[in-house]
Amino acid sequence: MKGQCGKKSLFGSELPCPDNSLAQAPDDDTRRKLVDICGDKWSDVDICCDANQLNALKTNLKRAEPIISSCPACKENFFNLFCTFTCSPDQSLFVNVTALQEASTKYIVTEVDNLWSDRYGKGFYESCKDVKFGATGGKAMDFIGGGAKNYTSFLKFLGDEKFLGSPFQINFPRPSSGNFTNMTASDPSPLACNDTNGEHRCACVDCQGSCPSLPALATQQHCYVGVLPCLSFSVILVYCVFLLLLVTAVTGHVAYQKHSQRKSERLQLLQDATASDDEDEMDEVRHAGIIEKPQRQYWLNTKCDVAFSKLGRLCAAFPLITISASILAIVVLSIGWINFAIETDPVRLWVSPSSSAALEKAFFDDNFGPFYRAEQAFLINDTFESGPGPVLSYDTLAWWFDLENRVARFKSMEKGATLGDVCFNPTGDACVVQSVTGYFQRSFSNVNPDSWKEDLRLCTEQPGNQACLPSFQLPLQRDLILGGWEKSGDVLKSEALITTWVVNNYPQGSAEEAIAIDWEDMLKNLLKDAQREARGRGLRLSFNTEISLEEELNKSSNTDAKIVIVSYIIMFLYASLALGATTLTARSILAKPANAVVQSKFTL
């Protein structure tokens, strides 16, 4: 193949011409362009391509370069494959044209077999499979390989004819899959992502093999007594010793008490059994004295008795002053209630403002803005008695598309905000909405009633396929939008649909945050109405918004306040009655209610 001979359609790309002539040395301009694109190893070889092909090659490689440039080995392998395919002087040994099409007065190549060794295919895939695309945080393989899980799927995705992909069909057959007469698989040495050459070595984040190996953990010798660790054995032993000492002390005390009692009984037997009248009277006087007066005097008790007696007399002598002073003291001490507010922000409730996590979050918010607000809806099929069943069907998809369109169109009540006003919109063309509808560009007209199942399977297996990319151009991982498919391994038997609306967040208390919260209220009301629609279809719709947790905390706080108030009232009554229980009776309450207040110690 060499040169460009026309297009397959009016809006298609230029396709190469079938040409089996010998490779030739290019002119100086073409040589410089080739070396600039493919590297110095092409500086002194004949080639099978021209300047127009190099221009097209450069344009196509530039699309992939930002995605894989973080890993030099992956980039070099990627560029080497297509540079070799396009310009190699040995092109006829591993490339076979299998289909042509007439375009005007010339023929153009529409399909080829491109034979590469398994060694290179595996090495190429291994060098790229873990590369991260910094703009999205996802894997580059989702973009350049459609989320391929092996090198054959990777090469197939690269060769499939598609928009913004290969302009014609490039098949990558395995050398062992057939008899390729007069063909030899191209077998250059692929660069590994952990290549010893620092120029091609990838970072640890893009290549696990580049990560430094951690030193082996030193084996620790553990102490055991039989099957018990020494610490556990020591604790049990100490506990048993203390328990034995306690039992010994209690037993000795009981034995001593019984011994003292028997000794007292023996002494009483030696005395006269009948007491005289004088002795009885003396006992009563002695016993009365014991009741009226403590046997021992304590200095602190005496001082407290005197002080509180004087205080009580003073309060009784000047009741109005006492009550007024008490009220004034209560008012002064309660001034802090002016700034009282119930905290409902979960972050402030559970994380100390001086903690490292809170300080790092504050730094992030100040420099990059608060993290996004996530609004999620979950749809589950509840028509099966045994539990959730497959939720995907053509009718369910139609209703789900309609619901998401309503969410996009509706305006909030107070601010009149729509999804487009509050959503995260990195491309400027579409909001980030992670949903199965994104595989069909959020338009139900793209859902073919006959082939939607195959289309969905293709998109979940190759989320980076151009036909499956949503409007915001970020591949949708099936784990984020479908749930329960892991049980069967078939996405069509997914038990849940998950939609996430990513909304911009703003500093707390700002006008922009108020607009976002107002839109969330609209979304909440809309999804509540949709819950009734879902029940009519045998489905269960659940959802949560960014403000949901805070609202639940508010409800909990209000409920707890009532419980606390009622509890304090009950405890107050109990304490009042307990303090006056010795003198307060039901008859005294009915006879003299005012006296009952005094007797119950209510004012204390």
Side-chain angles (χ1 to χ4, degrees):
M1 301 184 301
K2 186 176 182 180
Q4 294 179 338
C5 288
K7 301 179 180 180
K8 201 171 183 180
S9 62
L10 179 62
F11 300 101
S13 301
E14 290 286 343
L15 300 183
C17 312
D19 188 340
N20 202 28
S21 61
L22 295 177
Q24 298 177 354
D27 57 55
D28 292 340
D29 290 340
T30 303
R31 176 75 69 185
R32 281 194 297 270
K33 188 177 295 185
L34 175 62
V35 172
D36 181 59
I37 297 171
C38 299
D40 294 335
K41 64 182 178 180
W42 295 87
S43 60
D44 58 354
V45 297
D46 295 340
I47 60 174
C48 287
C49 59
D50 61 15
N52 291 330
Q53 284 180 283
L54 289 177
N55 290 333
L57 177 64
K58 182 177 181 179
T59 300
N60 291 327
L61 292 179
K62 284 294 183 183
R63 292 174 182 165
E65 186 174 11
I67 302 174
I68 58 177
S69 59
S70 62
C71 181
C74 175
K75 175 187 172 183
E76 182 67 21
N77 290 332
F78 191 94
F79 277 45
N80 182 58
L81 184 142
F82 286 101
C83 287
T84 304
F85 168 70
T86 305
C87 297
S88 172
D90 300 323
Q91 188 187 83
S92 61
L93 296 179
F94 59 88
V95 175
N96 182 37
V97 176
T98 58
L100 300 173
Q101 180 177 318
E102 188 174 359
S104 186
T105 59
K106 300 180 180 179
Y107 283 95
I108 56 175
V109 175
T110 58
E111 185 174 354
V112 299
D113 285 341
N114 191 7
L115 194 62
W116 289 74
S117 68
D118 291 330
R119 184 176 73 98
Y120 189 85
K122 291 178 182 178
F124 181 21
Y125 173 76
E126 291 294 326
S127 69
C128 295
K129 67 176 183 178
D130 294 324
V131 176
K132 305 296 187 300
F133 181 35
T136 63
K139 288 189 175 182
M141 187 59 66
D142 293 336
F143 290 90
I144 64 172
K149 303 300 182 184
N150 51 60
Y151 75 97
T152 55
S153 299
F154 179 31
L155 295 177
K156 180 181 182 303
F157 182 84
L158 291 175
D160 284 344
E161 181 182 358
K162 54 184 172 290
F163 176 68
L164 295 179
S166 176
F168 60 99
Q169 182 63 36
I170 304 175
N171 301 315
F172 288 90
R174 298 296 87 228
S176 58
S177 64
N179 184 19
F180 300 97
T181 306
N182 299 325
M183 293 183 68
T184 303
S186 181
D187 188 26
S189 296
L191 293 173
C193 63
N194 61 340
D195 194 87
T196 54
N197 185 352
E199 183 180 352
H200 298 127
R201 189 179 182 88
C202 303
C204 176
V205 69
D206 295 319
C207 176
Q208 187 176 2
S210 295
C211 300
S213 57
L214 298 176
L217 294 175
T219 57
Q220 297 181 354
Q221 298 294 331
H222 296 282
C223 174
Y224 285 91
V225 177
V227 295
L228 289 176
C230 290
L231 179 61
S232 300
F233 178 79
S234 302
V235 171
I236 294 174
L237 180 63
V238 171
Y239 176 79
C240 292
V241 170
F242 276 104
L243 183 62
L244 180 62
L245 292 174
L246 178 63
V247 171
T248 303
V250 172
T251 305
H253 177 72
V254 172
Y256 177 76
Q257 292 292 333
K258 290 184 177 180
H259 173 73
S260 299
Q261 183 180 1
R262 287 196 295 269
K263 183 178 180 180
S264 176
E265 291 174 351
R266 287 196 298 270
L267 292 174
Q268 289 178 5
L269 292 174
L270 299 176
Q271 297 178 357
D272 188 2
T274 60
S276 66
D277 294 340
D278 294 338
E279 289 176 344
D280 292 340
E281 290 175 0
M282 184 59 67
D283 289 341
E284 291 176 3
V285 172
R286 185 181 299 112
H287 293 162
I290 292 173
I291 295 174
E292 293 294 333
K293 188 176 181 179
Q295 294 300 303
R296 297 182 61 183
Q297 294 291 330
Y298 296 95
W299 175 83
L300 181 61
N301 284 356
T302 303
K303 294 295 184 182
C304 288
D305 287 343
V306 173
F308 284 116
S309 297
K310 291 181 178 180
L311 179 63
R313 294 189 187 98
L314 184 64
C315 292
F318 305 99
L320 292 179
I321 296 176
T322 301
I323 295 174
S324 300
S326 300
I327 294 175
L328 180 62
I330 293 172
V331 171
V332 171
L333 296 175
S334 300
I335 291 177
W337 282 89
I338 297 174
N339 298 322
F340 176 79
I342 298 176
E343 182 60 74
T344 56
D345 185 351
V347 175
R348 294 182 180 178
L349 276 174
W350 307 116
V351 181
S352 171
S354 59
S355 67
S356 58
L359 294 176
E360 290 171 3
K361 180 182 183 301
F363 178 84
F364 181 92
D365 292 348
D366 293 340
N367 290 273
F368 304 101
F371 196 70
Y372 308 108
R373 307 174 73 91
E375 332 292 344
Q376 290 188 304
F378 310 87
L379 187 67
I380 298 174
N381 185 357
D382 272 344
T383 58
F384 294 84
E385 295 181 358
S386 58
V391 70
L392 287 170
S393 69
Y394 186 78
D395 292 337
T396 299
L397 282 178
W399 179 73
W400 197 244
F401 270 86
D402 176 66
L403 176 60
E404 290 190 9
N405 287 333
R406 279 184 276 165
V407 171
R409 294 194 312 268
F410 278 26
K411 295 183 178 182
S412 61
M413 294 296 292
E414 295 183 8
K415 310 292 185 179
T418 63
L419 176 62
D421 298 325
V422 299
C423 72
F424 175 54
N425 189 347
T427 63
D429 298 326
C431 296
V432 174
V433 180
Q434 296 178 327
S435 170
V436 69
T437 61
Y439 287 145
F440 305 95
Q441 293 71 52
R442 298 185 64 192
S443 175
F444 190 66
S445 61
N446 295 330
V447 182
N448 189 315
D450 299 322
S451 63
W452 70 269
K453 294 182 178 180
E454 290 74 17
D455 295 339
L456 182 60
R457 278 201 180 98
L458 172 66
C459 289
T460 55
E461 293 172 359
Q462 299 180 3
N465 192 311
Q466 292 294 327
C468 302
L469 288 178
S471 304
F472 56 91
Q473 298 299 302
L474 176 66
L476 292 169
Q477 300 297 329
R478 58 186 174 184
D479 296 333
L480 301 178
I481 59 177
L482 296 171
W485 61 270
E486 300 88 349
K487 298 178 181 178
S488 62
D490 186 0
V491 293
L492 296 179
K493 295 182 180 180
S494 299
E495 297 177 354
L497 287 179
I498 306 168
T499 295
T500 303
W501 293 273
V502 183
V503 175
N504 287 320
N505 205 355
Y506 301 94
Q508 194 169 25
S510 63
E512 293 85 354
E513 186 197 38
I515 294 175
I517 293 175
D518 184 46
W519 183 84
E520 285 178 356
D521 290 336
M522 181 280 298
L523 176 66
K524 180 175 63 176
N525 294 331
L526 176 60
L527 293 179
K528 284 182 178 179
D529 293 336
Q531 284 180 326
R532 291 189 287 271
E533 299 177 23
R535 283 193 291 269
R537 295 172 173 270
L539 305 171
R540 173 160 50 92
L541 175 63
S542 305
F543 65 90
N544 71 276
T545 62
E546 185 72 18
I547 202 69
S548 295
L549 180 57
E550 190 169 332
E551 289 178 343
E552 290 301 317
L553 287 173
N554 277 329
K555 292 179 182 178
S556 176
S557 298
N558 294 335
T559 304
D560 292 344
K562 297 176 183 177
I563 295 174
V564 170
I565 292 172
V566 172
S567 299
Y568 269 103
I569 292 174
I570 294 174
M571 287 191 294
F572 183 80
L573 294 175
Y574 170 77
S576 299
L577 295 174
L579 289 173
T582 57
T583 58
L584 187 64
T585 62
R587 181 178 299 177
S588 65
I589 294 176
L590 296 175
K592 294 182 179 181
N595 186 49
V597 174
V598 177
Q599 294 297 326
S600 65
K601 309 299 187 294
F602 183 83
T603 55
L604 293 179

